[in-house]
Amino acid sequence: MASRSADPSSSRGGTNPSVDAVSLAIIEQLQEDGRRPYAAIGKAVGLSEAAVRQRVQKLLDQGVMQIVAVTDPLTVGFRRQAMVGIDVEGDVDPVADAVAAMPEAEYVVMTAGSHDLLVEIVCEDDDHLLEVINKRIRALPGVRSTESFVYLKLKKQTYMWGTR
């Protein structure tokens, strides 16, 4: 999996950096092709290459976006993925922070549904998944229960929702 250099939570749940229409257009260009040259993006959005480069860096620095290689985990040696629902007693934040610090946790979200947290876990195999859930997640103070949804096959994974 690609490493994450920016903290995506920095742009959520607190003060949101303002993103103007031109920056949104740049984001859409990069969602279509993350390797698109800044000169081509500039032409599409009406800016110079240097101005696009500055805006992209600002968006990265603010945690508004990341530019990463998205893979099918199976093709790079991670044979087991699961979504884990976690029920918490008391404050959810410390549990969410602890789970988010785990390298296997690719996605952590607080919910208002059946579970307090939903966590996507990417592991090498079933033994690794069992160790993460049983020895690490369930051992966290405040975790009341977990429910695991093991992925059998990845049918679609896309990040092309644009900026609507």
Side-chain angles (χ1 to χ4, degrees), residues 30-159:
L30 289 168
Q31 283 182 318
E32 289 174 14
D33 179 358
R35 298 181 343 158
R36 183 166 286 154
Y38 290 152
I41 295 171
K43 186 174 182 179
V45 302
L47 292 177
S48 69
E49 178 179 351
V52 170
R53 183 179 319 280
Q54 288 175 342
R55 281 185 180 246
V56 167
Q57 190 59 54
K58 183 177 178 183
L59 292 166
L60 293 169
D61 291 345
Q62 290 177 330
V64 172
M65 69 174 192
Q66 301 171 55
I67 301 173
V68 298
V70 178
T71 64
D72 176 346
L74 289 172
T75 64
V76 293
F78 295 99
R79 297 188 318 265
R80 183 57 67 215
Q81 285 182 275
M83 183 65 68
V84 179
I86 302 173
D87 298 330
V88 176
E89 292 178 0
D91 190 359
V92 177
D93 277 316
V95 176
D97 291 342
V99 172
M102 295 177 185
E104 296 87 355
E106 292 297 319
Y107 175 83
V108 178
V109 63
M110 293 180 190
T111 69
S114 299
H115 301 289
D116 298 306
L117 295 171
L118 289 178
V119 180
E120 185 174 39
I121 303 291
V122 179
C123 294
E124 295 166 12
D125 54 31
D126 287 336
D127 288 337
H128 185 196
L129 178 63
L130 179 60
E131 185 266 328
V132 170
I133 294 170
N134 198 41
K135 303 283 187 201
R136 292 172 43 208
I137 293 176
R138 289 182 180 156
L140 291 171
V143 172
R144 181 180 43 212
S145 64
T146 64
E147 182 177 7
S148 301
F149 304 90
V150 175
Y151 298 0
L152 299 176
K153 186 174 187 178
L154 179 64
K155 292 297 274 184
K156 181 179 181 179
Q157 179 176 334
T158 181
Y159 299 94

